Amino acid sequence: GQQLNQSPQSMFIQEGEDVSMNCTSSSIFNTWLWYKQDPGEGPVLLIALYKAGELTSNGRLTAQFGITRKDSFLNISASIPSDVGIYFCAGRSGGTSYGKLTFGQGTILTVHP
Amino acid sequence: DAGITQSPRHKVTETGTPVTLRCHQTENHRYMYWYRQDPGHGLRLIHYSYGVKDTDKGEVSDGYSVSRSKTEDFLLTLESATSSQTSVYFCATKGERSYEQYFGPGTRLTVT
């Protein structure tokens, strides 16, 4: 089946630093979604991308849909302690897939004050 | 936020017992999904529904069944729970004209 490789697996950064993470696949996706999960809670949608090359921002978060349609990137600027959590990418391929998503393994972000 | 609730939020059960988890949504979304989340595996799709009484298998459906008799409710049943089904289970929903899935708060299931 389709797989998404998300990297890095974990990051330890100082408050105020910028963060970059990415997802890559050998398959083409038509939609990329980025989620954040806090401990004990469900994933929360951060950004949705629908077109190759698209760059979308949500506050301090910026995500890009790769030109090849096989990758996506998430950047967090000026990190703060509440950015701590697990970040997941998810991709949707085309066709009658009933919106099924393939998820990356997640990037665990730790922010030191 | 699609107004998704899951019940129970926590459950401990014994091997061999049946277990049913409930997902309830208030947004009238057509599509509903059940995932399990395990360390090292991320989120994996168990079953999904594309309408009332319309369901299909996901990638890890063995040992699970689902039912959807109303738009707002999607039930996940473990007919005979096993220790390998200890996990956190998430329900998600998606509207008709969107590709964005919204998740519930999860159910932590422990099978002893």
Side-chain angles (χ1 to χ4, degrees), chain B residues 16-80:
Chain B
T17 60
V19 177
T20 295
L21 308 183
R22 179 179 184 244
C23 177
H24 179 79
Q25 55 124 342
T26 60
E27 294 296 314
N28 201 35
H29 282 175
R30 176 183 173 187
Y31 299 92
M32 298 185 76
Y33 309 84
W34 276 108
Y35 293 89
R36 61 178 289 173
Q37 184 177 39
D38 305 289
H41 291 280
L43 287 156
R44 294 181 292 174
L45 183 64
I46 304 172
H47 281 280
Y48 64 99
S49 170
Y50 47 97
V52 173
K53 298 186 179 178
D54 291 323
T55 64
D56 205 349
K57 297 178 180 179
E59 61 181 300
V60 290
S61 60
D62 287 348
Y64 302 95
S65 62
V66 290
S67 65
R68 190 166 178 204
S69 59
K70 298 185 291 185
T71 297
E72 57 266 36
D73 291 325
F74 192 31
L75 304 180
L76 177 70
T77 297
L78 291 65
E79 301 291 347
S80 178

Coordinates of all heavy atoms in Angstrom, one line a residue, chain B residues 16-80:
Chain B
G16 N -11.3 -12.0 25.0 CA -12.4 -12.8 24.7 C -13.8 -12.2 24.8 O -14.8 -12.8 24.4
T17 N -13.8 -11.0 25.5 CA -15.1 -10.4 25.6 C -15.4 -9.5 24.4 O -14.5 -9.0 23.8 CB -15.1 -9.5 26.9 OG1 -14.1 -8.5 26.8 CG2 -14.9 -10.4 28.1
P18 N -16.7 -9.3 24.1 CA -17.0 -8.3 23.1 C -17.0 -6.9 23.6 O -17.3 -6.6 24.8 CB -18.5 -8.8 22.7 CG -19.0 -9.4 24.0 CD -17.8 -10.0 24.7
V19 N -16.6 -6.0 22.7 CA -16.5 -4.6 23.0 C -17.1 -3.7 21.9 O -16.8 -4.0 20.7 CB -15.1 -4.1 23.3 CG1 -15.0 -2.6 23.5 CG2 -14.4 -4.9 24.4
T20 N -17.9 -2.7 22.2 CA -18.4 -1.8 21.2 C -18.1 -0.4 21.6 O -18.3 0.0 22.7 CB -20.0 -1.9 21.1 OG1 -20.3 -3.2 20.6 CG2 -20.5 -0.9 20.1
L21 N -17.5 0.3 20.6 CA -17.1 1.7 20.8 C -18.1 2.5 19.9 O -18.4 2.1 18.8 CB -15.7 2.0 20.4 CG -14.6 1.1 21.0 CD1 -13.2 1.5 20.5 CD2 -14.7 1.1 22.5
R22 N -18.5 3.7 20.5 CA -19.4 4.5 19.7 C -18.8 5.8 19.3 O -18.1 6.5 20.1 CB -20.7 4.8 20.6 CG -21.7 5.6 20.0 CD -22.9 5.8 20.9 NE -24.0 6.6 20.3 CZ -24.4 7.7 20.8 NH1 -23.8 8.3 21.8 NH2 -25.4 8.3 20.2
C23 N -19.2 6.2 18.1 CA -18.8 7.6 17.6 C -20.1 8.3 17.3 O -20.9 7.7 16.5 CB -17.9 7.5 16.4 SG -17.5 9.0 15.7
H24 N -20.3 9.5 17.7 CA -21.4 10.3 17.5 C -21.0 11.7 16.9 O -20.2 12.3 17.5 CB -22.3 10.5 18.8 CG -23.5 11.3 18.6 ND1 -24.7 10.8 18.1 CD2 -23.7 12.6 18.9 CE1 -25.6 11.7 18.0 NE2 -25.0 12.8 18.5
Q25 N -21.7 12.1 15.8 CA -21.4 13.4 15.2 C -22.6 14.2 15.0 O -23.7 13.6 14.8 CB -20.6 13.2 13.9 CG -21.4 12.3 12.9 CD -21.6 13.0 11.6 OE1 -21.5 14.2 11.5 NE2 -21.9 12.2 10.6
T26 N -22.5 15.5 15.1 CA -23.6 16.4 15.0 C -23.6 17.3 13.8 O -24.4 18.2 13.6 CB -23.7 17.3 16.3 OG1 -22.5 18.1 16.3 CG2 -23.8 16.5 17.5
E27 N -22.7 17.0 12.8 CA -22.5 17.8 11.7 C -23.2 17.3 10.4 O -23.0 17.8 9.3 CB -21.0 18.0 11.4 CG -20.3 18.8 12.5 CD -20.8 20.3 12.6 OE1 -21.0 20.9 11.6 OE2 -21.1 20.7 13.7
N28 N -23.8 16.1 10.5 CA -24.5 15.5 9.4 C -23.5 15.2 8.3 O -23.8 15.2 7.1 CB -25.5 16.5 8.8 CG -26.6 15.7 8.0 OD1 -26.9 14.6 8.3 ND2 -27.1 16.4 6.9
H29 N -22.2 14.8 8.7 CA -21.2 14.4 7.7 C -21.6 13.0 7.1 O -21.9 12.1 7.9 CB -19.8 14.4 8.3 CG -19.3 15.8 8.4 ND1 -18.1 16.1 9.0 CD2 -19.7 17.0 8.0 CE1 -17.8 17.4 9.0 NE2 -18.8 18.0 8.3
R30 N -21.4 12.9 5.8 CA -21.7 11.6 5.2 C -20.7 10.5 5.5 O -21.0 9.4 5.7 CB -21.8 11.8 3.7 CG -22.0 10.5 2.9 CD -22.0 10.7 1.4 NE -22.0 9.5 0.7 CZ -21.9 9.3 -0.6 NH1 -21.7 10.4 -1.4 NH2 -22.0 8.1 -1.2
Y31 N -19.4 10.9 5.6 CA -18.3 9.9 5.7 C -17.9 9.8 7.1 O -17.7 10.9 7.8 CB -17.1 10.3 4.8 CG -17.5 10.3 3.3 CD1 -17.9 11.5 2.7 CD2 -17.4 9.2 2.6 CE1 -18.2 11.6 1.4 CE2 -17.7 9.2 1.2 CZ -18.1 10.4 0.6 OH -18.5 10.4 -0.7
M32 N -17.6 8.6 7.6 CA -17.1 8.4 9.0 C -16.1 7.3 8.9 O -16.2 6.4 8.1 CB -18.2 8.0 9.9 CG -19.3 9.1 10.1 SD -20.5 8.8 11.3 CE -19.6 9.1 12.9
Y33 N -15.1 7.4 9.8 CA -13.9 6.5 9.7 C -13.6 6.0 11.1 O -13.7 6.8 12.1 CB -12.7 7.2 9.1 CG -13.0 7.9 7.8 CD1 -13.5 9.2 7.8 CD2 -12.7 7.3 6.6 CE1 -13.8 9.8 6.6 CE2 -12.9 7.9 5.4 CZ -13.5 9.2 5.4 OH -13.7 9.9 4.2
W34 N -13.0 4.9 11.3 CA -12.4 4.4 12.5 C -11.0 4.1 12.3 O -10.6 3.4 11.3 CB -13.1 3.1 13.0 CG -14.3 3.3 13.8 CD1 -15.6 3.1 13.5 CD2 -14.4 3.8 15.2 NE1 -16.5 3.4 14.5 CE2 -15.8 3.9 15.5 CE3 -13.4 4.3 16.1 CZ2 -16.2 4.3 16.8 CZ3 -13.9 4.7 17.3 CH2 -15.2 4.7 17.7
Y35 N -10.1 4.7 13.1 CA -8.7 4.4 13.1 C -8.2 3.9 14.4 O -8.8 4.1 15.5 CB -7.9 5.8 12.9 CG -8.1 6.4 11.6 CD1 -9.2 7.4 11.4 CD2 -7.2 6.2 10.5 CE1 -9.3 8.0 10.2 CE2 -7.4 6.9 9.3 CZ -8.4 7.8 9.1 OH -8.6 8.4 7.9
R36 N -7.1 3.2 14.4 CA -6.4 2.9 15.6 C -5.0 3.5 15.5 O -4.4 3.7 14.4 CB -6.3 1.4 15.8 CG -5.6 0.6 14.8 CD -5.5 -0.9 15.2 NE -4.6 -1.1 16.3 CZ -4.5 -2.3 17.0 NH1 -5.2 -3.4 16.6 NH2 -3.6 -2.4 18.0
Q37 N -4.5 3.9 16.7 CA -3.2 4.6 16.8 C -2.3 3.8 17.7 O -2.6 3.6 18.9 CB -3.3 6.0 17.3 CG -2.0 6.8 17.3 CD -2.2 8.2 17.7 OE1 -2.9 8.6 18.5 NE2 -1.4 9.1 17.0
D38 N -1.2 3.4 17.2 CA -0.2 2.6 18.0 C 1.2 3.2 17.8 O 1.5 3.6 16.7 CB -0.2 1.1 17.5 CG -1.6 0.5 17.6 OD1 -2.1 0.3 18.7 OD2 -2.2 0.3 16.5
P39 N 2.0 3.1 18.8 CA 3.4 3.6 18.7 C 4.1 2.9 17.5 O 4.0 1.7 17.4 CB 4.0 3.3 20.0 CG 2.9 3.2 21.0 CD 1.7 2.6 20.2
G40 N 4.7 3.7 16.7 CA 5.5 3.2 15.5 C 4.6 2.9 14.3 O 5.2 2.6 13.3
H41 N 3.3 3.0 14.4 CA 2.4 2.7 13.3 C 1.6 3.9 12.9 O 0.9 3.9 11.9 CB 1.5 1.5 13.6 CG 2.2 0.2 13.7 ND1 2.6 -0.5 12.6 CD2 2.6 -0.5 14.8 CE1 3.2 -1.6 13.0 NE2 3.2 -1.6 14.4
G42 N 1.6 4.9 13.6 CA 0.8 6.1 13.3 C -0.7 5.7 13.3 O -1.2 4.9 14.1
L43 N -1.5 6.4 12.5 CA -2.9 6.1 12.4 C -3.2 5.2 11.3 O -2.8 5.4 10.1 CB -3.6 7.5 12.1 CG -3.7 8.4 13.4 CD1 -3.9 9.8 12.9 CD2 -4.9 8.0 14.3
R44 N -3.9 4.1 11.6 CA -4.3 3.1 10.6 C -5.8 2.9 10.5 O -6.4 2.8 11.5 CB -3.6 1.8 10.9 CG -2.1 1.8 10.8 CD -1.5 0.5 11.0 NE -1.6 0.1 12.4 CZ -1.3 -1.1 12.9 NH1 -0.8 -2.0 12.1 NH2 -1.5 -1.4 14.2
L45 N -6.3 2.9 9.3 CA -7.7 2.8 9.0 C -8.3 1.4 9.2 O -7.8 0.5 8.7 CB -8.0 3.3 7.6 CG -9.5 3.4 7.2 CD1 -10.2 4.4 8.0 CD2 -9.6 3.7 5.7
I46 N -9.3 1.3 10.1 CA -9.9 0.0 10.4 C -11.1 -0.2 9.4 O -11.1 -1.2 8.7 CB -10.4 0.0 11.8 CG1 -9.2 0.3 12.8 CG2 -10.9 -1.4 12.1 CD1 -9.7 0.5 14.2
H47 N -12.1 0.6 9.5 CA -13.2 0.6 8.6 C -13.7 2.0 8.3 O -13.4 2.9 9.1 CB -14.4 -0.1 9.3 CG -14.3 -1.6 9.3 ND1 -14.7 -2.4 8.2 CD2 -14.0 -2.5 10.3 CE1 -14.6 -3.7 8.5 NE2 -14.1 -3.8 9.8
Y48 N -14.5 2.2 7.3 CA -15.1 3.5 7.0 C -16.5 3.3 6.5 O -16.9 2.2 6.1 CB -14.2 4.3 6.1 CG -14.1 3.7 4.7 CD1 -14.9 4.2 3.6 CD2 -13.2 2.7 4.4 CE1 -14.8 3.6 2.4 CE2 -13.0 2.2 3.1 CZ -13.8 2.6 2.1 OH -13.7 2.1 0.9
S49 N -17.2 4.4 6.5 CA -18.6 4.4 6.1 C -18.8 5.6 5.1 O -18.4 6.7 5.4 CB -19.6 4.5 7.3 OG -20.9 4.7 6.8
Y50 N -19.5 5.3 4.0 CA -19.8 6.4 3.1 C -21.3 6.6 3.0 O -21.8 7.2 2.0 CB -19.2 6.1 1.7 CG -19.5 4.7 1.2 CD1 -20.5 4.4 0.3 CD2 -18.6 3.6 1.5 CE1 -20.8 3.1 -0.2 CE2 -18.9 2.3 1.1 CZ -19.9 2.1 0.2 OH -20.1 0.8 -0.2
G51 N -22.0 6.2 4.0 CA -23.4 6.5 4.1 C -24.1 5.5 5.1 O -23.5 4.5 5.5
V52 N -25.3 5.8 5.4 CA -26.1 4.8 6.3 C -26.1 3.4 5.7 O -26.4 3.3 4.5 CB -27.5 5.3 6.5 CG1 -28.3 4.3 7.3 CG2 -27.5 6.7 7.2
K53 N -25.7 2.5 6.4 CA -25.6 1.1 6.1 C -24.6 0.8 5.0 O -24.5 -0.4 4.5 CB -27.0 0.5 5.7 CG -28.0 0.6 6.8 CD -29.3 -0.1 6.4 CE -30.2 0.0 7.6 NZ -31.6 -0.6 7.3
D54 N -23.8 1.8 4.6 CA -22.7 1.6 3.6 C -21.3 1.6 4.3 O -20.9 2.7 4.7 CB -22.8 2.6 2.5 CG -24.0 2.5 1.7 OD1 -24.4 1.3 1.4 OD2 -24.6 3.5 1.3
T55 N -20.7 0.5 4.4 CA -19.4 0.4 5.1 C -18.4 -0.4 4.2 O -18.8 -1.2 3.4 CB -19.5 -0.1 6.5 OG1 -19.9 -1.5 6.4 CG2 -20.5 0.6 7.3
D56 N -17.1 -0.2 4.5 CA -16.1 -1.0 3.8 C -14.9 -1.1 4.7 O -14.7 -0.4 5.7 CB -15.7 -0.3 2.5 CG -15.2 -1.3 1.5 OD1 -14.9 -2.5 1.9 OD2 -15.0 -1.0 0.3
K57 N -14.0 -2.1 4.4 CA -12.9 -2.4 5.2 C -11.7 -1.4 4.9 O -11.5 -1.0 3.7 CB -12.4 -3.8 4.9 CG -13.4 -4.8 5.3 CD -12.9 -6.2 5.0 CE -13.9 -7.3 5.3 NZ -13.4 -8.7 5.0
G58 N -10.9 -1.2 5.9 CA -9.7 -0.4 5.8 C -8.5 -1.4 5.8 O -8.7 -2.6 5.5
E59 N -7.4 -0.9 6.1 CA -6.2 -1.7 6.0 C -6.0 -2.7 7.2 O -5.2 -3.7 7.0 CB -4.9 -0.8 5.9 CG -4.7 0.1 7.1 CD -3.5 1.0 7.0 OE1 -2.4 0.5 6.8 OE2 -3.7 2.3 7.0
V60 N -6.6 -2.5 8.3 CA -6.4 -3.4 9.5 C -7.8 -3.8 10.0 O -8.1 -3.6 11.2 CB -5.6 -2.7 10.6 CG1 -4.1 -2.6 10.1 CG2 -6.1 -1.3 11.0
S61 N -8.6 -4.4 9.2 CA -10.0 -4.7 9.6 C -10.2 -6.0 10.3 O -11.3 -6.2 10.9 CB -10.9 -4.6 8.4 OG -10.5 -5.5 7.4
D62 N -9.3 -6.9 10.2 CA -9.4 -8.2 10.8 C -9.8 -8.1 12.3 O -9.0 -7.4 13.1 CB -8.2 -9.1 10.6 CG -8.0 -9.5 9.2 OD1 -9.0 -9.4 8.4 OD2 -7.0 -10.1 8.9
G63 N -10.8 -8.8 12.8 CA -11.2 -8.8 14.2 C -12.1 -7.6 14.6 O -12.5 -7.6 15.7
Y64 N -12.5 -6.8 13.6 CA -13.4 -5.7 13.8 C -14.6 -5.7 12.9 O -14.5 -6.2 11.7 CB -12.7 -4.4 13.6 CG -11.4 -4.1 14.4 CD1 -10.2 -4.4 13.9 CD2 -11.5 -3.5 15.7 CE1 -9.0 -4.2 14.6 CE2 -10.4 -3.3 16.4 CZ -9.1 -3.6 15.9 OH -8.0 -3.4 16.6
S65 N -15.7 -5.2 13.4 CA -16.9 -5.0 12.5 C -17.5 -3.7 12.9 O -17.2 -3.1 13.9 CB -17.9 -6.1 12.7 OG -18.4 -6.1 14.0
V66 N -18.2 -3.1 11.9 CA -18.8 -1.8 12.1 C -20.3 -1.8 11.7 O -20.7 -2.7 11.0 CB -18.1 -0.7 11.4 CG1 -16.7 -0.4 11.9 CG2 -18.0 -1.0 9.9
S67 N -21.0 -0.8 12.2 CA -22.4 -0.6 11.8 C -22.7 0.8 11.8 O -22.2 1.6 12.6 CB -23.4 -1.4 12.7 OG -23.4 -0.9 14.0
R68 N -23.6 1.2 10.9 CA -24.0 2.6 10.8 C -25.5 2.6 10.4 O -25.9 2.5 9.2 CB -23.2 3.4 9.8 CG -23.5 4.9 9.9 CD -22.5 5.7 9.2 NE -22.7 7.1 9.2 CZ -22.3 7.9 8.3 NH1 -21.5 7.5 7.3 NH2 -22.5 9.2 8.4
S69 N -26.4 2.7 11.4 CA -27.8 2.7 11.2 C -28.4 4.1 11.1 O -29.5 4.3 10.6 CB -28.5 1.9 12.3 OG -28.2 2.5 13.6
K70 N -27.6 5.1 11.5 CA -28.0 6.5 11.5 C -26.8 7.3 11.0 O -25.7 6.9 11.2 CB -28.5 7.0 12.8 CG -29.7 6.3 13.4 CD -30.2 6.9 14.7 CE -29.2 6.7 15.8 NZ -29.7 7.3 17.1
T71 N -27.1 8.4 10.4 CA -26.0 9.3 9.9 C -25.1 9.7 11.0 O -23.9 9.7 10.8 CB -26.6 10.6 9.3 OG1 -27.4 10.2 8.1 CG2 -25.5 11.5 8.8
E72 N -25.6 9.9 12.2 CA -24.8 10.5 13.3 C -24.0 9.5 14.1 O -23.1 9.9 14.8 CB -25.7 11.3 14.2 CG -26.9 10.5 14.8 CD -28.1 10.7 14.0 OE1 -28.1 10.8 12.8 OE2 -29.2 10.7 14.7
D73 N -24.3 8.2 13.9 CA -23.6 7.2 14.8 C -22.9 6.1 13.9 O -23.4 5.6 13.0 CB -24.7 6.5 15.7 CG -25.2 7.4 16.7 OD1 -24.5 8.2 17.2 OD2 -26.4 7.2 17.1
F74 N -21.7 5.8 14.4 CA -20.9 4.8 13.7 C -20.3 4.0 14.9 O -19.5 4.5 15.7 CB -19.8 5.5 12.9 CG -19.0 4.6 12.0 CD1 -19.6 3.5 11.4 CD2 -17.7 4.9 11.6 CE1 -18.9 2.7 10.5 CE2 -17.0 4.1 10.7 CZ -17.6 3.0 10.1
L75 N -20.6 2.7 14.9 CA -20.2 1.8 15.9 C -19.1 0.9 15.5 O -19.1 0.3 14.4 CB -21.4 0.9 16.4 CG -22.6 1.7 16.9 CD1 -23.7 0.7 17.3 CD2 -22.3 2.7 18.0
L76 N -18.1 0.7 16.3 CA -17.0 -0.3 16.1 C -17.1 -1.4 17.1 O -17.1 -1.1 18.3 CB -15.7 0.5 16.2 CG -14.4 -0.4 16.1 CD1 -14.2 -0.9 14.6 CD2 -13.1 0.3 16.5
T77 N -17.1 -2.6 16.6 CA -17.3 -3.8 17.5 C -16.1 -4.7 17.4 O -15.7 -5.0 16.3 CB -18.6 -4.5 17.3 OG1 -19.7 -3.7 17.5 CG2 -18.7 -5.8 18.2
L78 N -15.6 -5.1 18.6 CA -14.6 -6.1 18.6 C -15.3 -7.3 19.1 O -15.8 -7.4 20.3 CB -13.4 -5.8 19.6 CG -12.5 -4.6 19.2 CD1 -13.1 -3.3 19.2 CD2 -11.3 -4.6 20.2
E79 N -15.5 -8.3 18.3 CA -16.4 -9.5 18.6 C -15.8 -10.3 19.8 O -16.5 -10.7 20.6 CB -16.5 -10.4 17.4 CG -17.1 -9.7 16.2 CD -18.6 -9.3 16.4 OE1 -19.2 -9.8 17.3 OE2 -19.1 -8.5 15.5
S80 N -14.5 -10.4 19.8 CA -13.8 -11.2 20.8 C -12.4 -10.5 21.0 O -11.5 -10.8 20.3 CB -13.7 -12.6 20.4 OG -13.0 -13.4 21.4

